[in-house]
Amino acid sequence: MATILEKIAAIEAEMARTQKNKATSGHLGLLKAKLAKLRRELITPKGGGGGPGEGFDVAKTGDARIGFVGFPSVGKSTLLSNLAGVYSEVAAYEFTTLTTVPGCIKYKGAKIQLLDLPGIIEGAKDGKGRGRQVIAVARTCSLIFIVLDVLKPLGHKKILEHELEGFGLRLNKQPPNIVFRKKDKGGVNLQCMVTQSELDLDTVKSILAEYKIHNADITLRYDATADDLIDVIEGNRIYVPCIYLLNKIDQISIEELDVIYKIPHCVPISAHHKWNFDDLLEKMWEYLKLVRIYTKPKGQLPDYQSPIVLHSDRRSVEDFCNKLHRTIAKEFKYALVWGSSVKHMPQKVGKDHVLNDEDVVQIVKKI
């Protein structure tokens, strides 16, 4: 293991020494590609999968999953206890939580699973502490809460982002708008839709050569960086929304609180006093992008108590049928929809119709 870490350290040192300019961009791109490959080796060592996750893997339940990531003793366990009513051991010493503690809350009819993950330390992405297992669970979440101590937020925020980035998690980012296609012959063909400030044909070729790719079509649709191209080639990056929770606001002044409120993706809270939980839950709902669909049995009133919850990327009538039961889509004739996704109520729609939040749906089956 040390040899990989030594190689990573050597490459990082060389990158720090190298001046950034047009002449060195190809060399820096090559170093970044080498670094990405070593990091991947570190996460998934050669020779099959690692051992079991020692109680880290928790069965997925509910409509969405949120992981609490943070340093030891920032209040993750208190937050879980107060949000979900689950007891996660709380104490004044560090590393109180040693495995993943699950909890569940119901909000706006959706069941949301909360996971209190053990504290991360600096160097987690290089295998220090239990960082690797913690971040592997974080990769399966639909949303990440990074819990920070309000008295030392920015230093911690930077370190945690660096650790998660090292594991291929991209927070609050969209996947790069780059088309990458391998082919059998014809060399490297690079198309740029806009002027590029960092990537040129030589840099792209040197990055691809590190992956032993000599024939490929690449289209850059925006001003991309070498890191963006490497993310696309690696293909194992996870793009996940993230909210920064600045905990322990009972220890700061009102003026400081006003400043904090201006930081993007941030919610100041006090887990101990349950302050500002409404704001937190509202923001959580917005970032999860969930859609509630109510079912209406024939001749009865809609069931507003237990909606079917879909993600806003997959909310067609077919997705709705599959969530109810696999066999429904086969017997499906048409659906009647009431709500903002249709022009008149009820409207007869097919499988491809896209539903909106709080629509009411009645499925009509073939006889």
Side-chain angles (χ1 to χ4, degrees):
M1 184 60 95
T3 51
I4 296 182
L5 289 177
E6 281 162 14
K7 282 179 193 168
I8 286 177
I11 290 175
E12 282 176 340
E14 191 179 340
M15 281 168 71
R17 282 198 307 272
T18 309
Q19 280 187 323
K20 275 189 181 172
N21 55 40
K22 267 271 165 28
T24 60
S25 63
H27 179 59
L28 278 169
L30 182 68
L31 291 176
K32 282 178 178 173
K34 281 187 170 160
L35 198 59
K37 280 176 71 180
L38 288 168
R39 285 250 156 84
R40 174 166 36 118
E41 229 168 282
L42 203 60
I43 303 170
T44 50
K46 280 179 182 163
E54 305 167 51
F56 277 75
D57 299 335
V58 175
K60 230 176 179 171
T61 61
D63 302 304
R65 183 181 227 189
I66 299 176
F68 296 5
V69 174
F71 277 98
S73 292
V74 289
K76 298 191 298 296
S77 300
T78 311
L79 181 63
L80 181 78
S81 304
N82 285 339
L83 270 179
V86 172
Y87 180 67
S88 179
E89 200 170 321
V90 178
Y93 55 86
E94 301 200 332
F95 296 106
T96 327
T97 306
L98 293 172
T99 59
T100 304
V101 179
C104 185
I105 58 169
K106 272 198 99 165
Y107 186 66
K108 294 192 176 182
K111 279 200 191 96
I112 295 160
Q113 186 182 35
L114 306 174
L115 298 180
D116 175 15
L117 302 172
I120 281 185
I121 53 172
E122 198 166 352
K125 66 181 185 312
D126 304 328
K128 279 189 190 164
R130 289 188 163 181
R132 194 181 307 163
Q133 294 104 313
V134 173
I135 300 178
V137 176
R139 281 176 69 99
T140 65
C141 295
S142 355
L143 173 65
I144 287 176
F145 282 172
I146 289 189
V147 188
L148 302 165
D149 188 328
V150 77
L151 299 174
K152 38 192 172 185
L154 292 173
H156 280 182
K157 176 174 181 275
K158 230 178 186 155
I159 296 167
L160 286 169
E161 284 174 344
H162 187 63
E163 297 299 326
L164 293 171
E165 289 262 324
F167 262 85
L169 274 157
R170 300 289 177 260
L171 306 175
N172 293 329
K173 284 183 185 168
Q174 290 300 319
N177 197 352
I178 295 175
V179 179
F180 167 70
R181 207 176 74 237
K182 285 190 207 174
K183 50 187 187 177
D184 296 333
K185 53 178 189 276
V188 173
N189 176 26
L190 178 68
Q191 261 189 320
C192 303
M193 300 291 196
V194 293
T195 317
Q196 298 293 318
S197 55
E198 189 176 319
L199 292 175
D200 55 22
L201 188 59
D202 294 338
T203 311
V204 169
K205 277 185 173 171
S206 62
I207 291 171
L208 291 174
E210 179 58 35
Y211 287 96
K212 299 187 171 59
I213 297 169
H214 304 292
N215 303 298
D217 287 334
I218 292 168
T219 309
L220 305 176
R221 292 182 172 158
Y222 69 110
D223 187 2
T225 63
D227 292 319
D228 294 340
L229 180 61
I230 291 165
D231 281 354
V232 172
I233 297 168
E234 284 276 340
N236 61 353
R237 304 299 189 233
I238 295 206
Y239 297 85
V240 65
C242 165
I243 300 176
Y244 302 96
L245 307 187
L246 294 170
N247 190 19
K248 307 184 185 176
I249 54 170
D250 45 326
Q251 299 175 14
I252 60 168
S253 68
I254 295 289
E255 291 76 33
E256 289 172 301
L257 193 57
D258 287 341
V259 173
I260 286 170
Y261 248 111
K262 295 188 175 105
I263 306 170
H265 313 298
C266 268
V267 180
I269 58 160
S270 166
H272 183 66
H273 296 290
K274 302 190 185 182
W275 290 353
N276 210 19
F277 276 17
D278 306 351
D279 213 11
L280 166 62
L281 292 170
E282 204 45 58
K283 196 147 197 148
M284 169 196 84
W285 184 259
E286 180 195 327
Y287 277 53
L288 282 173
K289 295 190 173 124
L290 297 177
V291 175
R292 293 157 296 172
I293 309 296
Y294 301 113
T295 53
K296 182 188 178 307
K298 193 175 178 187
Q300 292 173 32
L301 287 170
D303 175 9
Y304 290 115
Q305 293 308 310
S306 42
I308 301 293
V309 180
L310 305 172
H311 192 270
S312 63
D313 294 344
R314 296 179 298 278
R315 53 191 169 110
S316 68
V317 172
E318 189 167 2
D319 296 321
F320 169 76
C321 292
N322 290 336
K323 187 93 188 250
L324 275 172
H325 200 279
R326 269 187 232 105
T327 56
I328 291 180
K330 289 180 190 142
E331 300 163 1
F332 178 87
K333 190 176 180 187
Y334 62 86
L336 294 171
V337 177
W338 292 257
S340 60
S341 70
V342 290
K343 289 196 175 102
H344 41 86
M345 324 253 183
Q347 188 167 321
K348 212 172 176 181
V349 299
K351 274 186 194 174
D352 301 333
H353 178 76
V354 176
L355 299 162
N356 284 351
D357 191 25
E358 300 205 90
D359 277 0
V360 173
V361 177
Q362 179 183 330
I363 302 289
V364 178
K365 296 181 183 177
K366 293 173 189 157
I367 297 163

